[in-house]
Amino acid sequence: MKKLINAPEDVVAESMAGFAAAHADLVRVVPEPLYVVRRDAPVAGKVGLVSGGGSGHEPLHAGYVGFGMLDAAVPGAVFTSPTPDRILAATQAVDGGAGVLHIVKNYTGDVLNFETAADLAAANGIEVRSVVTDDDVAVKDSLYTAGRRGTGGTVLVERIAGAAAERGDDLAQVAAIAEGVNADARSMGVALTPCIVPHSGEPSFTLAEDEMEFGIGIHGEPGRETLPLEPADRVVDRLLDAILPDLPYERGDRVLLMANGMGGTPLSELYIVYRRAAERLAEEGIEVARSLVGDQITALEMQGCALTLLRLDDERIELWDAPVQTASLRWGR
Amino acid sequence: MKKLINAPEDVVAESMAGFAAAHADLVRVVPEPLYVVRRDAPVAGKVGLVSGGGSGHEPLHAGYVGFGMLDAAVPGAVFTSPTPDRILAATQAVDGGAGVLHIVKNYTGDVLNFETAADLAAANGIEVRSVVTDDDVAVKDSLYTAGRRGTGGTVLVERIAGAAAERGDDLAQVAAIAEGVNADARSMGVALTPCIVPHSGEPSFTLAEDEMEFGIGIHGEPGRETLPLEPADRVVDRLLDAILPDLPYERGDRVLLMANGMGGTPLSELYIVYRRAAERLAEEGIEVARSLVGDQITALEMQGCALTLLRLDDERIELWDAPVQTASLRWGR
């Protein structure tokens, strides 16, 4: 295991300490119980957005805390859900009197712990709504989840719902926008290499030098099948063959196309992937109206990529384009 | 070799085609001869900034083309300098009548080809000044260079000189600011794994499972020495032990601290690195006034990191904070 870390048990706390030091203009990091909160939280009268989950997917979620996106992120241990007390503390910290939306990726531990935290928050007089993201078309039920997994679509939910909260939408409206984005987003990924959880020190799975894992999960959990490694264009076509018919996306649709890196893949390769995806969508008569290329939701140092499509309408485009000021997404302000 | 590519000879052209498609709001990519230019170039009356060099260091340089930074970037083949005709074409494309600054990393091929292009541009009536960056303290003279290598400081030169050009400084002023930033910047890096150039298919060097290459170059060329892999904090201290006395940086200095990923290292590890670097600088009485964490200048999928320090003054801070709108750095507009 080759990593730039100290003791494996200190990885999350030290990484968050560095994050706090680097982005003191945007966030505060509360060390105990650990969560990251927007610097000016709570914002009076604004719906608060809280997400979280196991660490190892950076920049998700801490990198998306700030103006126009999340109010707080709760990082668990690597690939391990945060406990309800921490989610509750973050929920209380961002409650500006307009209620709080929990954005939860569909993994069993996250769903349970966020539910418990929501119940505790309600008992403390905070109105909480939850949206569970499940955009990954690869598998239904898996090692970590019942139903589909939440992956790249989560980033888009956080951004678009975050913009809606920022413009003053109420909790029901923000929740409806989040649900809508999740319903119209689909993702699928592929891995060329496994990742190594610091505590275990062992690769999450094995792949031969000429193999890829198609439909990979963000914890290195199995995908649909192990296939021979192919040229990038063929890999992209396989991903879109799975994604496009699932909603389905249709001729005339406008979409946001996200080419996401899994953590260990160079940006130059993501643009090669993006190129073919955009070309294929043009062939299908689907218009790429917005795009995002880079590492957004990762699996430690895994090499690989995932594509996410989100169907857009005028309102979603307006919300996407609205100012955002976080460590990992920022524009227009 | 596991990469998300098609034919190795198409890597740069396809990656740039994807870049063009993803960022059509910011840039145009001219395919023949290949260069990337700010969408609104040439900007009349503004000094034009051109950089470039071998590909494989993304987001450098194409990711920094846009408002407040570079006017054009000229990507060569992977780890291979672009030819003078392409540098000339980019120089002509950004000439708004106020002259052009070439920002050149100190590698033999780049220096020669940019010099030739500058001569050709002068013969065509364009005033060109050049700044050669050489911020890497690791080695003097190496496989690719006479003198020190240009690495992370280049990003800071591009940003700060770019802001100076945007506010209307003339060519001599922009060149002086660029020279000053390079003179006050120092970098050093470490690799945990080699990288693989697509054409060769072979790792650039070998490291045992318990070794790191200390003082690595951005092409995988040798550093100072191969050492046993150590905890991140110790690695950071070693890097700063090399960087700090070199300028030297002194008690009371304000600096920009950049923790740069080499392409295959997860963001979470860069924050662990940043944490110790910031802590160490505080111990030394040096104030971190600005920071940048992430992949800025990479070596394909290499795992590792580099630290860059730049001494700041009020003017450099003002220029750093000024609006920038590129694919990989954007804020304030």
Side-chain angles (χ1 to χ4, degrees):
Chain A
M1 178 176 68
K2 297 187 107 168
K3 292 179 186 288
L4 288 165
I5 64 174
N6 297 298
E9 60 270 27
D10 296 330
V11 161
V12 174
E14 290 185 352
S15 184
M16 283 298 106
F19 185 83
H23 304 295
D25 55 326
L26 298 172
V27 300
R28 288 180 286 123
V29 174
V30 176
E32 189 52 48
L34 180 65
Y35 63 89
V36 182
V37 69
R38 188 173 147 162
R39 191 169 178 75
D40 57 353
V43 181
K46 190 185 87 71
V47 173
L49 268 65
V50 177
S51 192
S55 290
H57 308 302
E58 291 71 23
L60 191 85
H61 298 273
Y64 301 127
V65 174
F67 182 91
M69 213 161 167
L70 295 178
D71 292 83
V74 191
V78 173
F79 295 172
T80 303
S81 183
T83 49
D85 61 309
R86 293 161 58 187
I87 302 168
L88 174 63
T91 302
Q92 291 172 316
V94 306
D95 174 35
V100 174
L101 180 70
H102 285 176
I103 299 172
V104 187
K105 300 192 300 300
N106 188 34
Y107 300 96
T108 306
D110 288 337
V111 171
L112 282 173
N113 290 349
F114 269 90
E115 275 180 4
T116 303
D119 290 345
L120 294 169
N124 282 275
I126 301 173
E127 189 182 4
V128 176
R129 291 281 298 268
S130 296
V131 55
V132 176
T133 63
D134 58 353
D135 54 299
D136 185 352
V137 306
V139 292
K140 184 160 169 54
D141 304 334
S142 74
L143 189 59
Y144 290 87
T145 191
R148 286 179 165 184
R149 304 176 295 211
T151 56
T154 314
V155 178
L156 310 182
V157 169
E158 293 178 2
R159 167 61 191 131
I160 293 175
E166 206 67 65
R167 75 176 173 188
D169 284 16
D170 67 23
L171 181 57
Q173 291 168 322
V174 175
I177 284 170
E179 293 283 2
V181 170
N182 180 60
D184 286 348
R186 296 289 187 278
S187 299
M188 178 116 155
V190 63
L192 307 192
T193 64
C195 55
I196 298 177
V197 175
H199 262 100
S200 86
E202 299 297 325
S204 52
F205 57 91
T206 56
L207 278 177
E209 183 56 32
D210 60 351
E211 289 178 339
M212 62 179 175
E213 184 69 17
F214 186 68
I216 191 73
I218 57 171
H219 311 91
E221 68 270 36
R224 286 190 180 179
E225 52 185 329
T226 304
L227 293 174
L229 182 57
E230 296 175 313
D233 284 5
R234 182 72 193 109
V235 174
V236 168
D237 279 332
R238 276 189 193 273
L239 293 173
L240 288 175
D241 286 344
I243 290 170
L244 287 172
D246 195 274
L247 186 60
Y249 299 91
E250 292 175 335
R251 184 166 292 274
D253 278 351
R254 286 178 296 170
V255 297
L256 185 152
L257 168 59
M258 173 168 137
N260 174 60
M262 287 294 192
T265 285
L267 186 56
S268 53
E269 295 181 23
L270 298 182
Y271 282 117
I272 291 174
V273 164
Y274 181 89
R275 169 193 151 278
R276 174 57 196 159
E279 185 179 79
R280 168 72 183 276
L281 292 172
E283 291 164 12
E284 304 276 350
I286 295 167
E287 179 197 348
V288 178
R290 292 294 181 274
S291 63
L292 188 62
V293 182
D295 284 6
Q296 311 297 340
I297 172 171
T298 61
L300 296 166
E301 72 284 356
M302 182 186 283
Q303 289 191 347
C305 74
L307 293 175
T308 298
L309 284 190
L310 167 65
R311 194 186 279 158
L312 292 173
D313 56 21
D314 288 345
E315 181 182 46
R316 287 179 189 161
I317 290 175
E318 181 186 321
L319 291 167
W320 179 260
D321 288 346
V324 59
Q325 196 75 15
T326 69
S328 291
L329 278 190
R330 56 174 89 191
W331 54 70
R333 188 175 183 237
Chain B
M1 178 176 68
K2 298 186 106 168
K3 291 179 186 288
L4 287 165
I5 63 173
N6 296 298
E9 60 270 26
D10 296 330
V11 160
V12 174
E14 291 185 351
S15 185
M16 284 297 108
F19 185 83
H23 303 296
D25 54 327
L26 298 172
V27 300
R28 287 180 287 122
V29 175
V30 176
E32 189 52 45
L34 180 65
Y35 63 90
V36 181
V37 68
R38 187 173 148 162
R39 191 170 179 76
D40 57 353
V43 181
K46 190 185 88 71
V47 173
L49 269 65
V50 176
S51 191
S55 291
H57 308 302
E58 291 73 20
L60 189 86
H61 297 274
Y64 301 128
V65 174
F67 181 91
M69 212 160 168
L70 295 178
D71 292 84
V74 191
V78 173
F79 294 173
T80 302
S81 182
T83 49
D85 60 309
R86 292 162 57 187
I87 303 167
L88 173 64
T91 303
Q92 292 173 315
V94 307
D95 175 35
V100 174
L101 181 69
H102 284 176
I103 299 172
V104 187
K105 301 192 301 299
N106 188 32
Y107 300 96
T108 306
D110 289 335
V111 171
L112 282 173
N113 289 349
F114 269 91
E115 275 179 5
T116 303
D119 290 345
L120 293 169
N124 282 274
I126 302 174
E127 189 183 4
V128 175
R129 293 279 299 270
S130 296
V131 55
V132 177
T133 63
D134 58 353
D135 54 298
D136 185 353
V137 305
V139 294
K140 185 162 168 52
D141 303 335
S142 73
L143 188 59
Y144 290 86
T145 191
R148 286 179 165 185
R149 303 176 295 209
T151 55
T154 314
V155 177
L156 310 182
V157 170
E158 293 178 1
R159 167 61 191 130
I160 293 175
E166 206 66 65
R167 75 176 173 188
D169 284 14
D170 67 23
L171 182 57
Q173 291 169 322
V174 175
I177 285 171
E179 293 284 1
V181 169
N182 181 60
D184 286 349
R186 297 290 188 277
S187 300
M188 179 118 154
V190 62
L192 307 192
T193 64
C195 54
I196 298 177
V197 174
H199 262 100
S200 86
E202 297 297 325
S204 52
F205 58 91
T206 56
L207 278 177
E209 183 56 32
D210 59 352
E211 289 178 340
M212 62 180 176
E213 183 69 17
F214 186 67
I216 190 74
I218 55 170
H219 311 90
E221 67 270 36
R224 286 190 179 180
E225 53 185 329
T226 304
L227 293 174
L229 182 58
E230 296 176 314
D233 284 5
R234 181 73 194 109
V235 174
V236 169
D237 280 331
R238 278 188 191 273
L239 293 174
L240 288 175
D241 287 345
I243 291 171
L244 287 171
D246 195 272
L247 186 58
Y249 299 90
E250 292 176 335
R251 185 166 292 274
D253 279 350
R254 286 178 296 170
V255 297
L256 186 152
L257 169 60
M258 172 167 137
N260 175 60
M262 288 294 192
T265 284
L267 186 57
S268 53
E269 294 181 25
L270 298 181
Y271 281 116
I272 291 173
V273 164
Y274 181 90
R275 170 193 151 278
R276 173 57 196 160
E279 185 179 79
R280 168 74 183 275
L281 292 171
E283 290 164 13
E284 304 276 350
I286 295 168
E287 179 197 348
V288 178
R290 292 294 182 275
S291 62
L292 187 61
V293 182
D295 285 7
Q296 312 296 339
I297 171 170
T298 61
L300 296 166
E301 71 285 355
M302 183 186 282
Q303 288 191 347
C305 74
L307 293 175
T308 297
L309 285 190
L310 168 65
R311 195 186 278 158
L312 292 173
D313 57 19
D314 289 345
E315 182 183 44
R316 286 178 189 163
I317 289 175
E318 182 186 320
L319 291 167
W320 180 260
D321 289 345
V324 59
Q325 195 76 14
T326 69
S328 290
L329 278 191
R330 56 174 88 191
W331 54 71
R333 189 173 183 240

